[in-house]
Amino acid sequence: MGPDDRRLSDEGLAPEGTGRIRLIACGALAHEILALKRANGWDHLDLQCLPAKLHLRPEKIVEAVEAAVRAADGPVFVVYVDCGTGGALERKCRDLGVEMVEGPHCYSFFEGNAAFAARADAEFTAFYLTDFLVRQFDAFVWRPMGLDRHPELRDMYFGHYTTLVYQAQTEDPALDAKAEDCARRLGLAYERRFTGYGDLAPRLAGLGG
């Protein structure tokens, strides 16, 4: 059992205070990073997660990441991509002298940045979900867009999409079924694509032991 998704959304995850490299990550990536840490014995990495709900207000991400970096004692690696900050997070990390994961968004690095870029022209009408977003679909998509109160808005928001692509990090039939139901609720065709951890695994592996 990992940390609770609601806690990751609202509060994030405090670091354990062990490991010589602090990972400052989005709460939406906590399960994946913890799984990689366990599988690879990466005890030198200490995970701190900021609340995943910051993605609902991306203008707040840069400030929150900066505060976490400045409060850390020792080397830091930022496990965020651009995340809707318009390049501001990359510039801030450069100013702070810390590295971050490469890519425009987590859908890209889970797919693999090169593979995602190669598909981009053919998939401009795709709406993507990850494991975390399937589990938290109501909290991050349905309710924030007001679809729980005004379902008639669905076509306005999603009328230009054709397919929901579920990028599966794990093999979980229950999540598959839930993702397919998300597609049905949005009126979209459904595609499941197993990505695993994509570029995240080799990038974290490169941080050394």
Side-chain angles (χ1 to χ4, degrees), residues 34-118:
L34 290 172
L36 285 167
K37 276 172 50 67
R38 288 191 298 269
N40 294 284
W42 290 340
D43 295 332
H44 61 292
L45 302 179
D46 187 20
L47 178 62
Q48 174 183 357
C49 289
L50 304 182
K53 68 181 181 182
L54 284 172
H55 277 286
L56 300 176
R57 298 288 302 277
E59 72 276 7
K60 294 181 176 293
I61 291 175
V62 176
E63 179 182 354
V65 169
E66 179 180 10
V69 169
R70 293 191 183 281
D73 182 17
V76 168
F77 182 76
V78 174
V79 195
Y80 272 87
V81 280
D82 183 74
C83 301
T85 68
L89 182 58
E90 182 180 4
R91 291 190 295 273
K92 178 57 68 176
C93 286
R94 191 184 309 120
D95 291 345
L96 292 169
V98 298
E99 293 186 89
M100 61 184 287
V101 173
E102 297 82 7
H105 40 66
C106 63
Y107 313 121
S108 180
F109 75 64
F110 275 137
E111 185 88 24
N113 285 319
F116 190 90

Side-chain angles (χ1 to χ4, degrees), residues 190-206:
Y190 177 65
E191 178 183 342
R192 180 188 185 275
R193 186 181 299 159
F194 181 76
T195 64
Y197 303 127
D199 288 346
L200 183 62
R203 189 65 180 92
L204 294 184

Side-chain angles (χ1 to χ4, degrees), residues 66-165:
E66 179 180 10
V69 169
R70 293 191 183 281
D73 182 17
V76 168
F77 182 76
V78 174
V79 195
Y80 272 87
V81 280
D82 183 74
C83 301
T85 68
L89 182 58
E90 182 180 4
R91 291 190 295 273
K92 178 57 68 176
C93 286
R94 191 184 309 120
D95 291 345
L96 292 169
V98 298
E99 293 186 89
M100 61 184 287
V101 173
E102 297 82 7
H105 40 66
C106 63
Y107 313 121
S108 180
F109 75 64
F110 275 137
E111 185 88 24
N113 285 319
F116 190 90
R119 292 178 181 268
D121 288 344
E123 292 194 349
F124 63 92
T125 59
F127 181 74
Y128 298 92
L129 294 179
T130 62
D131 281 11
F132 179 86
L133 288 174
V134 170
R135 293 192 301 266
Q136 292 292 298
F137 180 77
D138 285 339
F140 278 78
V141 179
W142 201 253
R143 290 199 296 271
M145 290 186 167
L147 294 170
D148 56 329
R149 303 179 303 279
H150 301 286
E152 69 277 6
L153 294 176
R154 184 187 68 178
D155 291 344
M156 183 179 78
Y157 288 135
F158 292 96
H160 62 293
Y161 292 105
T162 60
T163 306
L164 185 149
V165 176

